[in-house]
Amino acid sequence: MADLIHFTAADTAAAIAKGDVSAVEVAQAHLDRIEAVDKKVNAFLHVDTEGALSAARAVDEKRAKGEELGPLAGVPLALKDVFTTKGVPTTCGSKILEGWIPPYDATLTSRLKDAGVVILGKTNMDEFAMGSSTENSAYGPTGNPWDLTKIPGGSGGGSAAALAAYEAPLAIGTDTGGSIRQPGAVTGTVGVKPTYGSVSRYGLVAFSSSLDQGGPCARTVLDAALLHEAIAGYDPLDSTSIDAPVPAVVEAAKRRDVRGMRIGVVKEFAGEGYQAGVMQRFNESVELLRELGAEVVEVSCPSFTLALPAYYLIAPSEASSNLARFDAMRYGLRVGDDGSRSAEDVTALTREAGFGPEVKRRIILGTYALSSGYYDAYYGSAQKVRTLISRDFDAAFAGVDVLVSPTTPTTAFPIGERADDPMAMYLADLCTIPSNLAGNAAMSLPCGLAPEDNLPVGLQIIAPAMADDRLYRVGGAVEAALNDKWGHPLLEEAPAL
């Protein structure tokens, strides 16, 4: 049974469909793994043992009746605790939602269930997805399975850590400024931010509505593609949902051929602040793309240098509006309601007790940026920069098929190292934020270990909106070539827990 946790999602689904193993056996193997290692990792906030085994039994019953199974039927998955799950706690890593049981499923949750995916539980995250290290969770930090004293990235560090710890073969994250890709990079896993609007946000608890995007996390490019196809597609319940066919990402992942493609290296994503080992592995990946038959050119996107300050005005501004709903009147925590205080006092006391320091910081910053007299100077100016960044992408994609860069400037840093330095923490998302501001598609996949610390490095691939298949075409080719070079997938080098 121990070997079952090392199967890819594709191989797991195939074994279940053939009857070589039951979905219940697969689910139990992963639940046993969580029981064995998660006290060290803290990837999960809630493990839904009963729900997982019930879903697995339903897959086995369906197969026993001779019904056709989907490409991911019976495959276990770790779900970021920012998507609503009917009857299962959803906390967003915050005390203010501690114990809240949603009465409905997010569209993404429903699509996973419809696909026969077995949801093991909800994963740890920075509170309301605000952070780059999962240290901002009200329920304690998550450790990086490569080195438990290091961060697993954020805000979706729990999902990425669950993959790297072999607690699940698939996971779901959300990406507002890099929260799928940056955790993928530092844990040696694959993380994809789909085109904004291509995966429903209905039931995704909002941080920054114009930036938030759910997406797939996996240990291989093909597994990520299979999960992408399961969750993507138009949803009338989401007003920002794109009514267009889902790109053929599974077919692209299997193609593994970049001959004839033009690939742009972003000039601005290099230089001071980038770890030497990260740049070494990135440059080797660029050379590998040349060897595989791609044409590589340098591309300049000058507005990208303004992405970080623009993001940290737009995202907190939207957060200050979205988080106003947590007022102690409707759901979640309520503090000070002893009959002697006004509604305003109860709201204030609840927010003081329920929100953590980073969430408070961003609410205050966002409220200030939106205030009368400052709106045009701050939020309005940031939106103009957002337009410039989109224009830089348009100009770049007029000459290349995809762009590449390091996913994050450094490998995983020690837990606590940047806790008191918000600016240093924010720099972890330097390379990922432009794609969120423009709404296009991006992927991180492992491209080796940095020589100086033996920790994973991520290669970021960026594609135009609704050209997500290009990510998987390039990613699949790079992954296959690197696996041939190393003789095994990178995660096999991770120290055993």
Side-chain angles (χ1 to χ4, degrees), residues 89-91 94-101 139 332-333:
T90 299
T91 69
S94 179
K95 287 291 184 187
I96 210 162
L97 279 177
E98 188 171 23
W100 181 57
I101 310 291
Y139 306 99
L333 186 69

Side-chain angles (χ1 to χ4, degrees), residues 323-340:
L323 270 62
R325 72 192 65 180
F326 301 105
D327 56 6
M329 298 297 127
R330 287 167 283 193
Y331 39 70
L333 186 69
R334 181 179 293 181
V335 174
D337 186 16
D338 59 5
S340 68

Side-chain angles (χ1 to χ4, degrees), residues 279-363:
M279 292 311 299
Q280 180 182 334
R281 294 296 176 240
F282 170 68
N283 290 330
E284 290 169 359
S285 300
V286 171
E287 189 53 43
L288 178 63
L289 285 164
R290 283 197 182 95
E291 292 171 9
L292 292 172
E295 180 186 353
V296 178
V297 297
E298 187 177 75
V299 173
S300 179
C301 299
S303 297
F304 284 12
T305 57
L306 302 172
L308 197 68
Y311 173 87
Y312 278 103
L313 284 167
I314 293 169
S317 296
E318 296 185 5
S320 76
S321 176
N322 278 323
L323 270 62
R325 72 192 65 180
F326 301 105
D327 56 6
M329 298 297 127
R330 287 167 283 193
Y331 39 70
L333 186 69
R334 181 179 293 181
V335 174
D337 186 16
D338 59 5
S340 68
R341 293 182 172 90
S342 68
E344 289 82 0
D345 288 342
V346 171
T347 296
L349 287 168
T350 300
R351 289 171 174 168
E352 170 60 30
F355 288 142
E358 182 62 27
V359 171
K360 291 173 183 172
R361 180 184 293 118
R362 297 200 196 191
I363 290 172

Side-chain angles (χ1 to χ4, degrees), residues 24-398:
V24 168
E25 288 173 316
V26 172
Q28 190 61 59
H30 286 88
L31 291 166
D32 290 346
R33 175 66 172 176
I34 294 167
E35 178 66 25
V37 305
D38 206 58
K39 287 183 180 67
K40 298 178 185 176
V41 181
N42 196 30
F44 283 86
L45 294 179
H46 177 81
V47 179
D48 184 17
T49 301
E50 187 179 323
L53 292 174
S54 175
R57 280 192 291 270
V59 172
D60 288 337
E61 288 167 9
K62 194 173 178 181
R63 185 189 173 277
K65 292 175 184 175
E67 296 178 32
E68 187 177 349
L69 300 181
L72 289 178
V75 179
L77 175 140
L79 180 61
K80 188 176 182 180
D81 197 25
V82 72
F83 286 95
T84 58
T85 42
K86 186 176 181 179
V88 176
T90 299
T91 69
C92 299
S94 179
K95 287 291 184 187
I96 210 162
L97 279 177
E98 188 171 23
W100 181 57
I101 310 291
Y104 71 102
D105 278 331
T107 295
L108 180 143
T109 306
S110 297
R111 288 181 176 173
L112 291 171
K113 291 179 177 179
D114 291 345
V117 171
V118 174
I119 300 172
L120 296 170
K122 310 294 284 294
T123 57
N124 200 12
M125 56 182 284
D126 284 299
E127 185 179 5
F128 287 105
M130 298 183 196
S132 305
S133 65
T134 315
E135 292 172 281
N136 293 330
S137 171
Y139 306 99
T142 295
N144 188 326
W146 288 81
D147 179 344
L148 293 172
T149 68
K150 300 290 201 299
I151 60 103
S155 61
S159 289
L163 295 172
Y166 291 95
E167 294 176 294
L170 294 175
I172 291 290
T174 60
D175 198 305
T176 306
S179 293
I180 288 175
R181 290 163 288 158
Q182 185 250 5
V186 300
T187 58
T189 57
V190 178
V192 179
K193 184 201 90 67
T195 297
Y196 178 81
S198 64
V199 174
S200 175
R201 290 188 302 109
Y202 178 75
L204 192 174
V205 181
F207 158 24
S208 181
S209 303
S210 74
L211 300 168
D212 298 339
Q213 183 58 66
C217 311
R219 290 194 291 260
T220 73
V221 172
L222 177 58
D223 285 358
L226 289 165
L227 184 53
H228 190 142
E229 284 202 351
I231 61 175
Y234 176 65
D235 178 17
L237 298 176
D238 176 2
S239 63
T240 59
S241 183
I242 297 172
D243 190 0
V246 178
V249 294
V250 172
E251 182 185 330
K254 293 176 178 177
R255 186 171 175 183
R256 298 179 177 179
D257 179 16
V258 295
R259 284 175 294 181
M261 294 188 78
R262 279 175 60 87
I263 295 175
V265 176
V266 182
K267 176 184 174 184
E268 284 71 21
F269 289 153
E272 188 180 350
Y274 286 78
Q275 187 177 321
V278 169
M279 292 311 299
Q280 180 182 334
R281 294 296 176 240
F282 170 68
N283 290 330
E284 290 169 359
S285 300
V286 171
E287 189 53 43
L288 178 63
L289 285 164
R290 283 197 182 95
E291 292 171 9
L292 292 172
E295 180 186 353
V296 178
V297 297
E298 187 177 75
V299 173
S300 179
C301 299
S303 297
F304 284 12
T305 57
L306 302 172
L308 197 68
Y311 173 87
Y312 278 103
L313 284 167
I314 293 169
S317 296
E318 296 185 5
S320 76
S321 176
N322 278 323
L323 270 62
R325 72 192 65 180
F326 301 105
D327 56 6
M329 298 297 127
R330 287 167 283 193
Y331 39 70
L333 186 69
R334 181 179 293 181
V335 174
D337 186 16
D338 59 5
S340 68
R341 293 182 172 90
S342 68
E344 289 82 0
D345 288 342
V346 171
T347 296
L349 287 168
T350 300
R351 289 171 174 168
E352 170 60 30
F355 288 142
E358 182 62 27
V359 171
K360 291 173 183 172
R361 180 184 293 118
R362 297 200 196 191
I363 290 172
I364 291 167
L365 177 61
T367 304
Y368 179 79
L370 292 175
S371 60
S372 177
Y374 295 103
Y375 181 96
D376 289 334
Y378 294 114
Y379 185 76
S381 295
Q383 291 288 18
K384 290 174 184 175
V385 169
R386 188 175 192 171
T387 300
L388 294 176
I389 289 167
S390 293
R391 287 176 182 170
D392 276 357
F393 271 122
D394 290 343
F397 288 131

